[in-house]
Amino acid sequence: MTSKRVFILIPSYNEANVIRKTIASLQGPYEIVLIDDASTDNTSQVVAGLPIYYLRHTVNLGQGAALQTGMTFAYQQGADIVVHFDADGQHNPNDIPRFIDELESRKLDVVLGSRFLLREDRVSVPAFKQVILKVATLINGIITGLWLTDAHNGFRVMNRRSLGLIRLKENRMAHATEILAEIYRHKLNVVEMSTHITYTDYSKAKGQSWTNSLNILFDLFVNRYLRS
């Protein structure tokens, strides 16, 4: 495991029911940054006293804005590596050291998670969501110039160079496409690695349904072309 400073960035909105469990799952020499995007539940009370950095937006801005807040903070704190990690428990903490090892051993700038590199990961993705994500992946390639197997996987690891170059202006779901465009624009060295996403009843209820996948396509088209 690396001796460098690793910051885990967790954007969160109304995740009081699970956030403490998610944080507890992150066993390692990590510095955890929880970015509370103006939650209306008792998130602040639930995480009080935990050994983390707690940042809070006073207005709900969206996941993209929360990640940018976290990345700016981590960069200012001297982070060498950052990890994007979902608050709802979908991501596998055991992937973190594996991705970091890949990042460092191959001298990469970014390692992106993919649900479609291994069959055992792919079968856990709901069938309709697979179709939507495949279409989104095609559109992503056209828009960003970066051709990947997974369009919107929120599990990412990046080095300090990437942290200093990537700037997110898309506050909500379109930020996932914007990150890829930024990677391509700055000619960052990037690879995908397999990661397993756990689709719990809780995460589905929080918005990981097939309708959320349609929203991905909406953001890819509308935010790209109406804002240009």
Side-chain angles (χ1 to χ4, degrees), residues 123-171:
V123 296
S124 70
V125 184
F128 189 77
K129 192 178 183 74
Q130 288 193 40
V131 174
I132 295 297
L133 286 172
K134 284 299 182 183
V135 174
T137 298
L138 175 63
I139 298 168
N140 252 1
I142 295 170
I143 291 174
T144 69
L146 199 61
W147 295 91
L148 303 167
T149 64
D150 197 343
H152 282 244
N153 196 310
F155 186 74
R156 313 174 186 93
V157 175
M158 61 183 68
N159 64 10
R160 184 171 178 81
R161 176 172 179 251
S162 302
L163 194 58
L165 291 172
I166 293 175
R167 287 291 178 270
L168 301 180
K169 297 177 182 178
E170 295 286 355
N171 283 353

Side-chain angles (χ1 to χ4, degrees), residues 54-83:
Y54 176 74
L55 311 180
R56 178 176 168 82
H57 289 165
T58 56
V59 176
N60 179 255
L61 297 174
Q63 191 178 65
L67 281 173
Q68 185 57 62
T69 294
M71 289 192 292
T72 299
F73 176 81
Y75 190 83
Q76 292 171 345
Q77 294 294 314
D80 297 303
I81 296 170
V82 296
V83 180

Side-chain angles (χ1 to χ4, degrees), residues 84-86 88-93 95 153-155 195-198:
H84 292 178
F85 199 87
D86 282 357
D88 60 10
Q90 286 196 114
H91 292 156
N92 183 356
D95 283 338
N153 196 310
F155 186 74
T195 186
H196 184 80
I197 302 296
T198 302

